Amino acid sequence: MSLNKEIKADGSFNRQKILFSRPFGTKAGELPVEENRYRLIWSAACPWSHRVVIVRNILGLENVISLGAVDPIRPDVDRIDWAFSLDENNVDPELGIQYLSEIYTKIDAEYAGRPTVPVMVDCNENMVVNNDYFTLTIVLETVWAPFHKSGAPDLYPEPLRQRIDALNDVIYADINNGVYRCGFAGSQEAYEQAYDNLFEKMAILDQLLATQRFLLGDYITDADVRLYVTLVRFDIAYYSVFKANKQRLIDFSHLWAYARDLYRTPGFGDTTDFEAIKKHYHLSARLSADLKKEKVIIPKGPDLSGWDAEPNRQHLSGKEEKFLR
């Protein structure tokens, strides 16, 4: 599938529909929640899959759902794809495939969309069962609760779910997907509208975080995970590659400190691969037909040492504990 098929007539970016969203559960027709049955495929560069991996780690599902990784640099083939070139013999050791598209076409030989990450694969059936990036974190937080580690935090507490859902909708539309709507815009008007919406929402969240430690108060929730994956990629990729260049993350004092606070939290910084992010966005994310003809130079910066600076935000909650149990 060409990216051009995701550009509407007005030049705005319209992300392709999710095709595999079969739910997990115990009802008829739902996917059984079973240990060691599923494999989660991700790219360290991709924000949509990064947030699923963060939640998987926080909840202690590493020994329940296996993890496979694709190369952050897209392969030199005649389609948009992901490759397992990080693995021995360039093949995923559990799925036995070289390219992600192989597992998509196995379930649908006529599949013409982009093979996307994250994707859950049923290893018993050797087939794609769910690539719903919007709901996968919540699925792990709720339906997979029987396999959570002892003392795992509640990232989607029932009393806050309505507020989390509403906030997630805004974060997705104007920030998570907003940077892509800037970067993949096909018209000046579409680009400027996405640009204005993005920085308007970032300014609002910056002010919100001036008086509270996390988006919904004293504890990390699913909404924080979703915002983090865009923030951590902002200065290193979106600011330049996607022309989201009104302000850098480090220019938002509260958002910047908040992002560093999360970065220092287990599950966040230890799953963040700046080198993979940089390589992907500067070499692959433009998905340009002319990119292969260009000599692309990966920028040396920005300076990432600031991520290790003390965020000094504990006083906003008065608590060392960052998760709601």
Side-chain angles (χ1 to χ4, degrees):
M1 178 180 182
S2 168
L3 181 66
N4 290 335
K5 295 181 180 179
E6 294 178 79
I7 305 299
K8 297 168 66 176
D10 64 358
S12 60
F13 175 60
N14 185 35
R15 187 173 294 276
Q16 72 176 16
K17 293 181 179 179
I18 296 165
L19 297 181
F20 303 98
S21 55
R22 188 176 165 192
F24 291 86
T26 57
K27 298 177 182 177
E30 293 183 332
L31 296 163
V33 177
E34 294 179 4
E35 186 176 7
N36 299 323
R37 177 165 180 166
Y38 302 99
R39 187 162 178 80
L40 171 64
I41 305 300
W42 83 307
S43 165
C46 168
W48 317 106
S49 53
H50 187 191
R51 67 195 198 186
V52 182
V53 169
I54 290 172
V55 169
R56 171 181 173 270
N57 286 19
I58 289 173
L59 299 179
L61 296 171
E62 301 99 316
N63 297 321
V64 177
I65 301 170
S66 69
L67 188 66
V70 291
D71 196 311
I73 301 176
R74 291 190 183 274
D76 186 7
V77 293
D78 61 355
R79 61 188 182 276
I80 299 172
D81 213 332
W82 296 97
F84 289 94
S85 49
L86 301 177
D87 292 305
E88 187 176 358
N89 300 319
N90 301 320
V91 171
D92 179 87
E94 288 195 28
L95 304 179
I97 58 175
Q98 183 177 2
Y99 299 106
L100 187 63
S101 59
E102 295 175 52
I103 202 72
Y104 276 84
T105 55
K106 189 167 290 188
I107 192 172
D108 180 2
E110 303 301 318
Y111 182 78
R114 287 187 291 109
T116 60
V117 287
V119 60
M120 292 278 273
V121 179
D122 185 334
C123 295
N124 289 358
E125 304 293 335
N126 201 29
M127 62 187 289
V128 169
V129 291
N130 193 300
N131 71 340
D132 190 346
Y133 61 89
F134 197 80
T135 64
L136 269 175
T137 57
I138 292 174
V139 167
L140 296 187
E141 292 156 4
T142 55
V143 184
W144 283 84
F147 292 103
H148 290 180
K149 66 183 179 183
S150 176
D154 189 350
L155 298 175
Y156 194 55
E158 197 159 350
L160 296 179
R161 288 181 183 178
Q162 188 172 359
R163 292 176 61 196
I164 291 172
D165 291 345
L167 188 52
N168 283 350
D169 286 342
V170 173
I171 291 171
Y172 170 77
D174 292 324
I175 298 179
N176 295 152
N177 201 43
V179 291
Y180 284 85
R181 290 173 58 231
C182 288
F184 292 159
S187 71
Q188 186 70 32
E189 182 180 6
Y191 161 69
E192 291 188 9
Q193 181 178 4
Y195 179 100
D196 290 343
N197 289 343
L198 168 66
F199 285 100
E200 177 188 355
K201 295 303 187 300
M202 288 184 71
I204 290 172
L205 292 179
D206 185 62
Q207 287 306 305
L208 173 69
L209 291 164
T211 56
Q212 60 191 55
R213 189 170 182 184
F214 303 110
L215 291 175
L216 287 157
D218 293 343
Y219 302 96
I220 292 172
T221 67
D222 185 81
D224 296 291
V225 176
R226 295 180 185 228
L227 180 57
Y228 170 82
V229 295
T230 295
L231 297 184
V232 81
R233 288 161 173 76
F234 203 90
D235 290 0
I236 199 171
Y238 302 142
Y239 181 86
S240 54
V241 179
F242 283 178
K243 308 181 194 68
N245 57 2
K246 181 179 181 180
Q247 293 167 280
R248 300 162 299 171
L249 172 63
I250 64 173
D251 297 323
F252 292 94
S253 59
H254 307 299
L255 269 177
W256 172 223
Y258 159 83
R260 299 200 315 276
D261 197 3
L262 292 174
Y263 179 76
R264 293 160 66 95
T265 302
F268 288 83
D270 51 3
T271 60
T272 299
D273 186 337
F274 287 115
E275 189 65 21
I277 294 167
K278 185 182 291 189
K279 286 180 177 178
H280 173 73
Y281 283 98
H282 287 276
L283 291 180
S284 301
R286 286 180 284 173
L287 306 178
S288 167
D290 296 325
L291 190 57
K292 296 174 185 177
K293 302 175 184 178
E294 302 174 11
K295 183 174 182 180
V296 180
I297 296 174
I298 301 175
K300 189 173 181 179
D303 180 4
L304 299 173
S305 62
W307 282 97
D308 294 319
E310 172 60 52
N312 295 316
R313 290 181 58 80
Q314 291 88 342
H315 68 282
L316 293 175
S317 65
K319 299 178 177 65
E320 289 296 327
E321 179 61 70
K322 299 176 182 178
F323 293 113
L324 181 62
R325 297 188 184 280

